[in-house]
Amino acid sequence: MKTSLKSKIGIAFVILGFISPVFGLIVPLFGFNTTITASLVTFFLVGGPEIFLLIGGILAGKEGVQLVKGKVKKLFGLPEEDYPAGSTQYRIGVVCILLWLFLVIFPGYIPHIFEMPLVRDNLFYLSIGTDLLLILGVFVFGGHQMITKISEIIRWQPWKLGSNRS
C-alpha cells in the first residue's frame, strides 16, 4: 500500500506521542535550571503526548490507521487483509477488552492500592500488560468484526425514531 507523505508525518507524530515520556526522563540529565527542567518534564509527561497523538491522528487519517493496523497484524503474524474471527477467537477478544476495562477503571476505587508493594513496584509492567490486553483483544483476537463494531460505536449516526405506536 502506497502511503502519502501526510500520513507518514502523522504516524511519526503518533510515535513521538508514545515515546515523548522517555524524553521527560532524559531532560534532567541536561542540567537546565529548575524551572526549565520542570516545564519540559511536565510537557513531555503530561501535555506533549496528547498533543502529538492528536496532531498525528489528524494528519494520518484513515490511511495511517490502515497502515498501522497492517503493521500490528504483521507483527503478530496475522494476514494484513481483513479477516473474520471465529466465535471462540472473538469471545477471547471480548474477554481481553473487558479485563482491560476492569483493570483500568476498578483500581481507582480501591483505597491505597497503588501503595501496595506488589502494585507499586510493578506498576510500569502492569500498565504495559493492561495495554497489551487491549491491543490483543481488538487487533489479534477480535478480527475485522471487533474493529467494525468499535468504529460503529464511535461514528455518529442520525437517530431514527420508530413509528410503532399503538
Side-chain angles (χ1 to χ4, degrees):
M1 171 161 89
K2 183 82 170 142
T3 58
S4 67
L5 180 62
K6 179 180 158 188
S7 290
K8 289 178 182 177
I9 293 171
I11 291 169
F13 269 103
V14 169
I15 292 169
L16 184 61
F18 279 111
I19 64 171
S20 67
V22 174
F23 297 137
L25 298 174
I26 296 172
V27 166
L29 303 176
F30 288 118
F32 297 128
N33 69 36
T34 309
T35 306
I36 292 175
T37 300
S39 299
L40 288 174
V41 167
T42 302
F43 174 76
F44 285 126
L45 292 177
V46 180
E50 289 82 5
I51 292 170
F52 295 140
L53 289 171
L54 180 66
I55 292 171
I58 290 170
L59 290 175
K62 187 174 183 176
E63 180 184 356
V65 170
Q66 295 290 11
L67 179 69
V68 170
K69 187 170 79 169
K71 297 287 184 189
V72 169
K73 286 181 179 181
K74 188 175 181 181
L75 179 71
F76 287 106
L78 299 168
E80 288 190 37
E81 66 274 355
D82 295 336
Y83 64 94
S87 174
T88 304
Q89 180 182 352
Y90 184 80
R91 286 188 177 126
I92 291 171
V94 170
V95 167
C96 286
I97 292 171
L98 291 176
L99 186 60
W100 167 81
L101 188 64
F102 177 79
L103 290 172
V104 167
I105 293 174
F106 192 68
Y109 292 100
I110 302 173
H112 310 293
I113 191 165
F114 295 108
E115 295 172 10
M116 293 173 56
L118 176 70
V119 175
R120 183 184 61 231
D121 295 341
N122 298 304
L123 190 58
F124 179 71
Y125 301 111
L126 292 170
S127 296
I128 289 175
T130 55
D131 290 343
L132 282 175
L133 272 175
L134 179 65
I135 291 169
L136 288 171
V138 173
F139 293 106
V140 177
F141 293 115
H144 185 64
Q145 295 101 310
M146 187 72 72
I147 294 169
T148 303
K149 286 183 180 182
I150 291 172
S151 70
E152 287 296 320
I153 291 171
I154 296 171
R155 188 177 314 126
W156 181 86
Q157 296 175 357
W159 186 257
K160 297 176 185 171
L161 295 175
S163 59
N164 295 337
R165 295 184 184 175
S166 302

